[in-house]
Amino acid sequence: INAAGRMKAIFFDKTGTLTDNEMKLDPVIISQPQSNKLAMVEFALEAEVDMELSSEERARESLIMQNFATNQTLTSLDGKVLGDPMEDEMFKFSGGQFGREEEGKEVDGVKFVRQILFKPSQVHSHPPSLHVMHVFDFKSHLQRMSVLVQDTHSKKNYVFTKGAPEKIMKQCRPESVPGDAQEEVKRLSKQGFRVLAFGMKEIADDFKEVATAHLDTGQRRV
């Protein structure tokens, strides 16, 4: 408003003429051990992956890709992925694909929502097959959404969460958040990026208990 009085002309653009209505995933930054402490490290595409990474670092990269692939509300129709452009971009980046296993099949007495598969890669040395067991839809007042996932190969269960950085970091254990995380968020925000944070936790609880628990009300830390 303060600047409007100094303007002599305003130009409006129709989307598709000078601009594109698309979402592009640019930097992906994950927490990795650096000099015996956690630090924010830019994730390299598979072709650039450092073969010297430890098994722990590989596992972290695999889990963030699993978070990208499962923590979404996309659908698949005739082999085409449909839904939110942001989620679609993350899904493509993850390398995940929708499985053909019939939805509604029960796992541990709970019907799963969708199946996500991965191909063998440098990130996924043992490609997981994932069942999305429950989706906690995005809530604007919580500024995050979560999914309950089971790796059918390892039989491990996870909760994957995504949302506003300040909300996700608040839910995390302090020792699991790199000391430079806040600074990294500020740096990216100043460059005009829309910044999302991702968190996860391996869970041992029964899916029915977790699905009905106050997982997304701030009462549990992921």
Side-chain angles (χ1 to χ4, degrees), residues 14 22 50 70 82 85 93 99 111-112 135 160 178 185 189 195 201 212-214 217-218:
K14 177 167 62 75
E22 66 176 1
D50 184 358
T70 59
L82 305 173
F93 187 93
K111 293 181 179 180
F112 72 86
V135 177
F160 291 132
V185 171
S189 298
V195 184
K201 180 179 181 178
T212 55
H214 298 295
T217 62

Side-chain angles (χ1 to χ4, degrees), residues 144 161-172 197-199:
R144 63 181 182 269
T161 303
K162 71 177 179 184
E166 63 273 16
K167 296 293 184 179
I168 300 301
M169 285 191 280
K170 186 178 179 181
Q171 288 292 104
C172 293
F198 293 79

